[in-house]
Amino acid sequence: MSGQGYQGKKNIPRITSDRLLIKGAKIVNDDQSFCADIYMEDGHIKQIGENLIVPGGVKTIDAHGRMLMPGGIDVHTRFQMPDRGMTSVDDFYQGTRAALAGGTTMIIDHVVPEPGASLLSAFEQWREWADSKSCCDYSLHVDITEWHKGVQEEMEALVKDHGVNSFLVYLAYKDVFQLTDSQVYEVFSVIRDLGAIAQVHAENGDIVAEEQRRILEQGISGPEGHVLSRPEEVEAEAVNRSVTVANQTNCPLYITKVMSKSAADVIAQARKKGTVVYGEPITASLGTDGSHYWSKNWAKAAAFITSPPLSPDPTTPDYLNSLLSCGDLQVTGSAHCTFNTAQRAVGKDDFTLIPEGTNGTEERMSLIWDKCVVTGKMDENQFVAVTSTNAAKIFNLYPRKGRIAVGSDADLVLWDPDVTKIISAKSHNSNQEYNIFEGLEVRGAPLVVISQGKIILEEGSLHTTEGCGRFIGRKPFSDYVYKRIKARSRLAELRGVPRGLYDGPVCEVSVTPKTMTPASSAKTSPAKQAAAGGQPVRNLHQSGFSLSGAQIDDNLPRRNTQRIVAPPGGRANITSLG
Amino acid sequence: MAERKRNWDTENDDDLPVYLARPGTADQVPRQKYGGMFCNVEGAYESKTIDFDALNVGQRGNRTPRTAKSGTSCSPTSASSQCKESTWYDMKDSGAEIKTTRGKEFLQNLGDDKSDRLLVKGGRIVNDDQSFYADIYMEDGVIKQIGDNLIVPGGIKTVEANGKMVIPGGIDIHTHFQMPYRGTTTVDDFSQGSKAALAGGTTMIVDHVIPEPGSSLIEAFEQWRNWADEKTCCDYSLHVDITHWNDRVKQEVDILLKEKGVNSFQVYMAYKDFYQMSNSELYEIFTFLGEMGGIVQVHAENGEIIAEEQARMLEMGITGPEGHVLSRPEELEAEAVFRAITIASQTNCPLYVTRVMSKSAADIISQARKKGNVVFGEPITASLGTDGTHYWSKNWAKAASFVTSPPLSPDPTTPDYLNTLLASGDLNITGSAHCTFSVAQKAIGKDDFTQIPEGVNGVEERMSLIWEKAVTTGKMDENMFVAVTSTNAAKILNLYPRKGRLAVGSDADLVIWDPDTVRTVTAKTHNSAAEYNVFEGMELRGGPSVVICQGKLVLEDGGLHVTPGVGRFIPCTPFPDYAYKRVKARKQLAVLRAVPRGMYDGPVSDFSPLSRGGTPSASARTSPTKQPVRNLHHSAFSLAGNPAQRGPPTTEDLPIRPAGRRIVVPPGGRSNITSLS
């Protein structure tokens, strides 16, 4: 399905050639900005510099010193997502169109297999949908909705043969998608050994279920019940728990949809302690808050339903933007998953049935520009980092994506920082009737969008080609993530203390139930032998990390290799008096 | 003895309804300001401040009715002759420097009658709020007078404190004496254990009742009562551990709270497939106890991950005690603490974290307190005094003797850190988690660390160790010392000011503390039956020179005179002010309201009721007991009132923003330092 030339499918006359020259642009990467011309051919950037020698007859765009930046990467979309027989209204065509209109030239969608279904077949299904409809390059995350031995094998296949390097687990949706702590531990161990990235939907599903029941009992059935039953603490708790499990398993962690201050704080603290964890705020959490759940208009209130919910604290967006600017949060997605009012109305008498998701793929870049760059929280380079470069690095697409350099893909955006527009459902490119940012005025928007070396957006008009999006496979062991993990796994070897045999008296024990945990825990985790440190996994691990090898100091008696290892930056100890 | 016990019981029976009714009547009580850890306890003021008149003009001291009454009560039975004897004796020795005792055998003979009256002269009384010089006169196990130049009946025994500190006897809030474990029992039974406690200056212990999963809580409670009544040498109270959860357990908890004098219950987040509770169960237990006025104690460790890690360790061939600490890294403790706090905050229930063993767990607690959560942390003697490096000892028996859960942290700076937080008030209460096994018992796990019975000693060393680590180093003063060793514990158990304070009317449990004595802890001389002492060789400054329990001299001149069986069960009542005042206030704010909207009458999509339905239907099965709880709630808190009465959510007053929601600004406010704009 890959390939590069897509002239054939729908002949759009405007695209004259694969060759393109942009003159006089200020090229903005995540590390620096400089003025240069840029020449691209066959979807790749071929030359950057001044006074380029280019073939005659190429189309030329004069940038007039405007900023040219790598096209955005939306790391979290859910186009065409099935939910109980319904499908979200933006399919891959409509969704990627909206993305391109907003300056995003690559999306990473989530494959959500039904529990019980095969990951691989779900993956193929999504590939099929996306290949036929997507207008920009895409890649796929796969969600782990249940856990057993077969899933592990499928994960291996996905990583090795299908270009997937990230898996999402759910700590919420009790009795549907939710995994237990033990299962999460095993999933993380497998992910670490495969060199992938563990994504987590972080909410404590047990507590949410209890709260939902309590709130329904109190007669609250409208959308406000959604946010009341999912207080932000519950999100922070789950983030903390997944950080703990990730630390234990030495697995890189990625928190999707950071919606609240406290969850963001937990991530920031964990990073200070040296945990390899990334946080992804989404367009909705950066741009609006949860006060609309109390709207008298049911349809409007329902349009904001997403999980974790938008925080009712109106200072949240500002706070998250600040953390994004200071680097405590790194990546932005949109979690674009749109349902019509009629679809939402499935839950008109019970908020727990309302399909979840908000729009945001089109608004993402402009909104961040408006909230962060215009306000002076971040500069243009940082903007590029959080909208594309960091995502490309984490998911091992860098420098093909997320950077303007010779050899990179020709996915570019010519950014106009001065244009102002008002977001409205009337003019947006999504199929949804509501836009949660309705009426918001944002400064900054793409002037020209180039995807795969072709001009997609120009002079306000969008020229997309259905089905020209390529699937971009991603390799495991992304350097950005795994360099530290590898170093740590070398240190994390544990050893027993060699002692003489204890030969004193031993008390008689009646075989009462107080057997300790390991024996009994086996039953809950069928995939145990292979998963958490069984021999096969160890081997995989070791083959992946030839560096770890045998240790010279293998027979040192004491625990100098124990992982008390000071975390980078040291452990804060300010309260110590003595 | 028994008679007095009965008295207490009846008194408390009388009290009980009053306590329970208090929430409803609270609006008549003048509003008291309170805040932070030293919140005032209702009714504490009378006995708390010394009667300054009595102090200055000695004569007026005996004017109080209490004294008069006690004067008459002194008379009974055969005591008179002996009384005289001792009068003579006392008068003769009254100028003497130290104590006017004769000898041990004499003391023990006196036992019941004469030593019921006791005068401690010239001591510096140390409470958690202030220190002052005064004499204390006690009778019948109760402090009758405090002041200078007390008028006391003749013929009483006098202890000369010589300006030394007199502090309330310690309360060890966490012990496991005589704990059954797979057919064996911990080596320190209630007699041995409470003896060790008294030797260390602790005059009250609170033990944990651990029912086998599936068995009755009340039966287990009665069993523990029997054991303890028969053997304890000092007053005691009991926590009950909830090891499984269903409707019946809930009823039993209700009975224990209302009739049996138990106000604190422990749940386990560790010990997977055995004691461990799921998050949903925790939520229900917390909700229930929050409504009934109990204190939830939590053994905080993530049992699921531990089980995984244990399996991994054993697979890697690590079977010794070091595997114990390797499989229980401190993060797992911190994670569970965080989770418990989240659930407690959701359910608006006060939380008590037992055994804070690591820096990170302590940090989480102090952060939560800063955010306004009602949470208390209990470091134990072992975590305050030693660290986990010994798990790597080559001596298996020694390494095994340190095995406890959560484990001691291998980070050697941990004890110091925990002492600092204890001094700063972020941690409040100290226990010992005294649970001792002999080496032979520990050796059950000689080939598999997961089988080693868990527990360390510490009941005897607790007071001295905290003095050494926190007071002599200047981290805390003597008043804070009293707060963390007894007062806070008494407050949280709702025993204050009967225990944990030196005041007229309080129990005569007190300790004359000698800050200069130096003692080396060793298994050779300790009072526990364990062969190992985890503090072996540690030199501790500060120790009790005299211990008075129930008004009787128990420790004197280094000689310990205990009587097994004299310990009384002290019933604890629910809704301790220390924890519940704030909770009650918050309950009133936490009323949620729906938004009244017109019916949605637009089109509705068809959908298949497929698996991805909302959760509540599925979760209902785990919680069969929801309905009654609500009712109990309403009846127990008349203050909170019926939400329907206090303002039917009419359309005009309806908040667009979540006004009724508990976004309520936490005390101290939420910090927002990163905000740039």
Side-chain angles (χ1 to χ4, degrees):
Chain A
M1 186 63 240
S2 58
Q4 283 150 10
Y6 277 88
Q7 298 289 27
K9 269 197 172 168
K10 274 183 188 172
N11 264 329
I12 291 178
R14 290 199 50 101
I15 295 174
T16 51
S17 126
D18 270 4
R19 299 172 177 182
L20 199 58
L21 177 69
I22 298 176
K23 294 193 72 157
K26 182 176 169 200
I27 295 176
V28 181
N29 274 324
D30 69 322
D31 52 350
Q32 59 173 354
S33 311
F34 55 93
C35 290
D37 299 346
I38 180 165
Y39 170 69
M40 57 206 102
E41 195 177 308
D42 294 331
H44 292 287
I45 296 172
K46 292 288 182 191
Q47 298 177 52
I48 296 177
E50 284 171 48
N51 309 318
L52 301 177
I53 311 280
V54 298
V58 299
K59 186 171 166 60
T60 304
I61 297 174
D62 203 326
H64 297 296
R66 288 211 182 81
M67 282 180 273
L68 185 68
M69 49 181 71
I73 300 177
D74 187 342
V75 285
H76 188 159
T77 64
R78 287 166 189 274
F79 296 149
Q80 214 167 332
M81 193 182 83
D83 181 2
R84 289 169 289 170
M86 305 178 289
T87 309
S88 61
V89 292
D90 286 327
D91 62 6
F92 277 96
Y93 172 68
Q94 200 67 40
T96 49
R97 243 178 92 81
L100 287 165
T104 296
T105 55
M106 176 171 184
I107 57 132
I108 311 185
D109 206 78
H110 276 270
V111 174
V112 190
E114 284 293 313
S118 147
L119 296 191
L120 277 172
S121 59
F123 173 78
E124 295 298 346
Q125 175 69 68
W126 255 259
R127 280 290 312 263
E128 205 177 290
W129 286 335
D131 279 342
S132 62
K133 291 191 170 170
S134 177
C135 311
C136 66
D137 288 351
Y138 73 97
S139 190
L140 294 171
H141 308 292
V142 176
D143 297 1
I144 310 286
T145 49
E146 61 175 344
W147 182 241
H148 52 74
K149 179 88 175 149
V151 172
Q152 187 190 341
E153 282 159 5
E154 290 191 316
M155 283 168 70
E156 272 182 56
L158 284 168
V159 170
K160 291 191 178 134
D161 310 326
H162 295 278
V164 173
N165 73 3
S166 48
F167 298 92
L168 174 69
V169 297
Y170 292 88
L171 297 177
Y173 306 111
K174 187 174 174 182
D175 299 331
V176 186
F177 294 154
Q178 187 176 330
L179 300 187
T180 67
D181 290 356
S182 311
Q183 289 168 331
V184 171
Y185 182 98
E186 285 169 21
V187 174
F188 281 17
S189 303
V190 170
I191 286 177
R192 190 260 336 271
D193 291 342
L194 291 172
I197 291 139
Q199 299 188 308
V200 167
H201 176 112
E203 278 182 297
N204 188 319
D206 291 334
I207 302 181
V208 169
E210 296 282 341
E211 292 277 327
Q212 283 181 336
R213 197 162 37 75
R214 185 168 73 89
I215 288 185
L216 284 175
E217 245 170 40
Q218 295 185 9
I220 300 178
S221 61
E224 69 276 15
H226 180 75
V227 64
L228 293 177
S229 64
R230 303 177 107 100
E232 68 174 78
E233 276 181 303
V234 166
E235 185 189 351
E237 189 281 320
V239 171
N240 184 59
R241 185 148 40 101
S242 42
V243 165
T244 307
V245 180
N247 269 345
Q248 283 315 302
T249 49
N250 195 23
C251 174
L253 180 68
Y254 179 103
I255 308 288
T256 60
K257 301 206 221 185
V258 175
M259 306 298 278
S260 66
K261 285 182 178 182
S262 32
D265 281 341
V266 171
I267 294 171
Q269 275 168 27
R271 288 178 65 83
K272 287 193 181 65
K273 287 188 194 146
T275 309
V276 182
V277 55
Y278 305 96
E280 166 207 283
I282 65 171
T283 321
S285 62
L286 293 170
T288 183
D289 62 57
S291 51
H292 304 280
Y293 291 119
W294 279 265
S295 164
K296 294 268 189 158
N297 179 343
W298 189 91
K300 183 183 175 195
F304 285 81
I305 296 279
T306 186
S307 285
L310 289 159
S311 166
D313 177 350
T315 61
T316 303
D318 193 51
Y319 189 82
L320 294 181
N321 280 305
S322 297
L323 289 197
L324 189 64
S325 308
C326 78
D328 280 349
L329 302 172
Q330 299 75 32
V331 204
T332 52
S334 66
H336 189 91
C337 180
T338 46
F339 289 96
N340 267 331
T341 305
Q343 292 172 320
R344 302 260 188 200
V346 158
K348 71 185 165 63
D349 301 319
D350 178 352
F351 65 87
T352 64
L353 298 176
I354 301 173
E356 295 169 354
T358 51
N359 62 297
T361 192
E362 182 173 357
E363 297 81 4
R364 188 177 65 105
M365 304 269 285
S366 293
L367 194 129
I368 295 169
W369 186 270
D370 184 67
K371 296 272 181 186
C372 294
V373 185
V374 173
T375 59
K377 291 189 190 208
M378 58 169 72
D379 57 23
E380 64 213 30
N381 305 97
Q382 179 99 46
F383 174 76
V384 168
V386 301
T387 52
S388 62
T389 310
N390 289 349
K393 284 179 176 169
I394 291 173
F395 295 109
N396 220 359
L397 296 164
Y398 189 81
R400 180 177 173 186
K401 302 282 186 189
R403 185 168 189 88
I404 298 180
V406 173
S408 298
D409 277 1
D411 290 350
L412 304 171
V413 174
L414 192 60
W415 193 258
D416 184 347
D418 302 318
V419 69
T420 302
K421 71 173 175 177
I422 295 175
I423 299 175
S424 164
K426 291 189 195 78
S427 57
H428 70 191
N429 285 284
S430 157
N431 272 334
Q432 207 189 4
E433 297 129 323
Y434 266 93
N435 190 312
I436 58 168
F437 307 105
E438 188 76 36
L440 192 65
E441 188 176 328
V442 288
R443 265 158 298 178
L447 199 64
V448 176
V449 175
I450 295 163
S451 170
Q452 299 179 9
K454 296 186 191 60
I455 299 173
I456 304 287
L457 177 78
E458 196 182 16
E459 289 161 10
S461 53
L462 207 52
H463 317 287
T464 54
T465 317
E466 190 166 354
C468 73
R470 300 164 297 181
F471 173 76
I472 309 286
R474 294 172 290 138
K475 292 198 170 59
F477 294 109
S478 150
D479 263 356
Y480 186 61
V481 174
Y482 266 88
K483 271 189 183 156
R484 284 181 288 169
I485 297 285
K486 283 179 190 168
R488 289 174 198 192
S489 62
R490 259 175 280 149
L491 286 168
E493 296 285 317
L494 302 176
R495 260 176 250 125
V497 176
R499 294 189 181 88
L501 273 177
Y502 174 84
D503 50 4
V506 179
C507 211
E508 289 288 317
V509 184
S510 62
V511 202
T512 40
K514 192 168 177 180
T515 44
M516 281 313 215
T517 39
S520 47
S521 79
K523 71 172 155 58
T524 57
S525 48
K528 181 72 208 168
Q529 297 86 337
Q535 215 51 43
V537 178
R538 285 293 131 190
N539 286 346
L540 281 173
H541 177 190
Q542 242 135 30
S543 72
F545 295 78
S546 53
L547 269 177
S548 81
Q551 308 282 319
I552 335 156
D553 49 355
D554 262 344
N555 28 14
L556 267 189
R558 284 272 295 211
R559 64 201 165 91
N560 18 19
T561 52
Q562 158 66 347
R563 199 204 320 164
I564 320 173
V565 164
R571 187 182 279 283
N573 193 5
I574 41 165
T575 39
S576 175
L577 293 176
Chain B
M1 189 71 253
E3 175 191 319
R4 203 164 50 203
K5 206 181 284 179
R6 176 109 345 108
N7 282 342
W8 269 110
D9 283 346
T10 50
E11 255 183 66
N12 277 285
D13 284 347
D14 291 340
D15 279 353
L16 214 63
V18 179
Y19 272 106
L20 281 173
R22 188 180 296 160
T25 59
D27 44 2
Q28 289 158 10
V29 177
R31 184 181 166 84
Q32 298 180 358
K33 58 177 178 177
Y34 72 94
M37 53 183 303
F38 299 114
C39 72
N40 296 325
V41 172
E42 282 173 39
Y45 270 118
E46 307 96 70
S47 48
K48 191 173 199 172
T49 19
I50 0 155
D51 184 353
F52 283 104
D53 289 341
L55 273 180
N56 298 335
V57 192
Q59 305 299 336
R60 290 167 64 186
N62 69 346
R63 204 168 46 106
T64 63
R66 288 171 192 263
T67 343
K69 200 178 84 189
S70 68
T72 57
S73 73
C74 129
S75 52
T77 68
S78 64
S80 53
S81 64
Q82 283 176 311
C83 233
K84 263 178 193 134
E85 187 186 56
S86 105
T87 309
W88 165 80
Y89 178 79
D90 278 340
M91 282 167 68
K92 205 169 147 193
D93 276 22
S94 59
E97 275 288 311
I98 315 183
K99 311 170 198 84
T100 60
T101 45
R102 274 198 215 160
K104 295 174 192 173
E105 62 297 340
F106 181 60
L107 224 183
Q108 275 166 332
N109 290 341
L110 285 181
D112 280 316
D113 304 320
K114 279 180 63 184
S115 58
D116 267 7
R117 298 175 179 183
L118 202 57
L119 180 66
V120 176
K121 289 196 72 159
R124 182 146 146 267
I125 295 177
V126 180
N127 274 325
D128 70 321
D129 53 349
Q130 58 175 355
S131 312
F132 54 90
Y133 286 95
D135 299 344
I136 302 181
Y137 170 68
M138 56 206 109
E139 195 178 303
D140 294 331
V142 177
I143 296 176
K144 293 289 183 187
Q145 297 178 53
I146 293 181
D148 286 331
N149 307 319
L150 300 177
I151 306 292
V152 296
I156 58 164
K157 190 168 170 60
T158 303
V159 176
E160 193 68 51
N162 277 333
K164 287 209 180 92
M165 280 178 270
V166 181
I167 61 175
I171 298 177
D172 188 339
I173 199 164
H174 187 162
T175 63
H176 291 277
F177 295 152
Q178 213 166 333
M179 189 184 82
Y181 176 76
R182 298 164 80 187
T184 69
T185 316
T186 52
V187 292
D188 286 327
D189 61 7
F190 276 99
S191 151
Q192 195 74 37
S194 56
K195 188 175 156 192
L198 287 167
T202 296
T203 56
M204 175 172 182
I205 57 131
V206 190
D207 207 77
H208 276 269
V209 175
I210 309 181
E212 282 293 311
S215 66
S216 155
L217 262 55
I218 292 182
E219 275 168 31
F221 171 77
E222 296 296 349
Q223 176 67 67
W224 253 261
R225 279 290 312 262
N226 282 344
W227 286 336
D229 279 341
E230 197 177 294
K231 291 188 169 170
T232 349
C233 315
C234 64
D235 288 350
Y236 73 97
S237 191
L238 294 172
H239 308 291
V240 175
D241 294 3
I242 298 177
T243 50
H244 60 293
W245 185 245
N246 55 36
D247 238 346
R248 200 169 56 89
V249 172
K250 191 169 171 178
Q251 284 159 11
E252 289 191 322
V253 169
D254 193 27
I255 293 170
L256 286 169
L257 261 168
K258 289 184 176 153
E259 296 165 21
K260 302 286 186 183
V262 176
N263 77 353
S264 44
F265 298 85
Q266 172 161 305
V267 293
Y268 292 87
M269 299 171 82
Y271 306 112
K272 185 175 174 182
D273 299 330
F274 194 53
Y275 293 154
Q276 188 176 327
M277 296 281 164
S278 72
N279 290 340
S280 312
E281 286 167 329
L282 290 177
Y283 184 97
E284 283 175 27
I285 293 171
F286 283 31
T287 309
F288 181 65
L289 287 175
E291 280 157 8
M292 303 305 295
I295 302 283
V296 173
Q297 302 192 315
V298 165
H299 176 114
E301 278 183 297
N302 188 318
E304 303 217 357
I305 302 178
I306 289 172
E308 300 280 342
E309 292 276 324
Q310 282 180 336
R312 187 165 74 93
M313 292 301 149
L314 290 174
E315 249 167 38
M316 289 166 66
I318 299 178
T319 59
E322 69 277 12
H324 180 75
V325 64
L326 292 177
S327 64
R328 301 176 110 100
E330 67 175 77
E331 274 187 296
L332 302 190
E333 187 190 349
E335 188 279 320
V337 170
F338 194 104
R339 185 150 40 102
I341 288 171
T342 305
I343 300 177
S345 151
Q346 279 314 299
T347 54
N348 199 14
C349 172
L351 180 71
Y352 178 104
V353 179
T354 60
R355 301 203 229 197
V356 175
M357 305 297 278
S358 66
K359 285 183 179 181
S360 31
D363 280 342
I364 302 260
I365 291 173
S366 64
Q367 275 166 30
R369 289 175 65 86
K370 285 190 184 67
K371 286 189 196 145
N373 289 323
V374 183
V375 54
F376 306 97
E378 167 207 281
I380 64 169
T381 322
S383 62
L384 292 170
T386 183
D387 60 56
T389 50
H390 304 280
Y391 290 118
W392 280 266
S393 164
K394 293 272 193 171
N395 178 344
W396 188 91
K398 183 182 174 195
S401 70
F402 285 82
V403 170
T404 186
S405 286
L408 289 159
S409 165
D411 177 351
T413 60
T414 304
D416 193 51
Y417 190 82
L418 293 181
N419 278 297
T420 305
L421 290 196
L422 190 63
S424 72
D426 280 351
L427 302 173
N428 305 85
I429 303 163
T430 53
S432 67
H434 189 90
C435 178
T436 46
F437 290 97
S438 67
V439 173
Q441 286 171 321
K442 292 264 184 190
I444 292 166
K446 71 185 165 63
D447 302 320
D448 177 354
F449 65 86
T450 64
Q451 307 291 318
I452 301 174
E454 295 168 354
V456 291
N457 64 299
V459 71
E460 183 173 357
E461 297 80 4
R462 188 177 64 106
M463 306 269 287
S464 295
L465 193 129
I466 295 168
W467 187 271
E468 157 80 25
K469 295 277 180 183
V471 185
T472 58
T473 57
K475 291 188 190 211
M476 60 169 74
D477 57 22
E478 63 212 29
N479 303 97
M480 191 68 177
F481 174 74
V482 168
V484 301
T485 54
S486 63
T487 309
N488 292 346
K491 283 179 178 170
I492 208 165
L493 292 166
N494 220 356
L495 295 173
Y496 188 82
R498 180 178 173 186
K499 301 280 185 190
R501 182 162 194 92
L502 296 181
V504 173
S506 298
D507 278 0
D509 290 349
L510 47 92
V511 171
I512 299 181
W513 190 260
D514 182 353
D516 302 318
T517 177
V518 177
R519 167 169 76 110
T520 305
V521 179
T522 164
K524 291 189 195 78
T525 58
H526 71 190
N527 285 285
S528 157
E531 294 124 314
Y532 268 90
N533 189 312
V534 294
F535 310 104
E536 187 76 35
M538 200 177 281
E539 214 169 67
L540 301 181
R541 264 159 300 174
S545 62
V546 174
V547 175
I548 296 165
C549 179
Q550 299 180 4
K552 295 188 188 62
L553 279 164
V554 175
L555 176 81
E556 193 186 17
D557 293 335
L560 202 54
H561 320 289
V562 297
T563 324
V566 301
R568 300 165 297 183
F569 174 72
I570 311 284
C572 305
T573 48
F575 293 109
D577 274 348
Y578 188 51
Y580 266 91
K581 271 193 177 161
R582 285 179 286 169
V583 168
K584 281 179 200 165
R586 289 171 198 194
K587 277 214 167 99
Q588 285 168 268
L589 287 169
V591 178
L592 303 179
R593 263 182 247 138
V595 175
R597 295 188 180 88
M599 289 293 289
Y600 173 85
D601 49 4
V604 179
S605 273
D606 284 335
F607 74 108
S608 52
L610 211 61
S611 52
R612 215 197 141 189
T615 41
S617 54
S619 73
R621 69 175 152 76
T622 57
S623 52
T625 54
K626 200 63 188 175
Q627 215 59 41
V629 180
R630 285 293 133 189
N631 291 342
L632 284 170
H633 174 192
H634 284 307
S635 69
F637 291 83
S638 51
L639 242 195
N642 188 348
Q645 296 168 355
R646 67 202 317 273
T650 50
T651 39
E652 58 273 3
D653 77 343
L654 214 283
I656 293 175
R657 308 196 50 75
R661 175 61 185 151
R662 200 203 321 163
I663 319 173
V664 164
V665 184
R670 187 181 279 281
S671 65
N672 191 6
I673 41 166
T674 40
S675 175
L676 295 177
S677 60

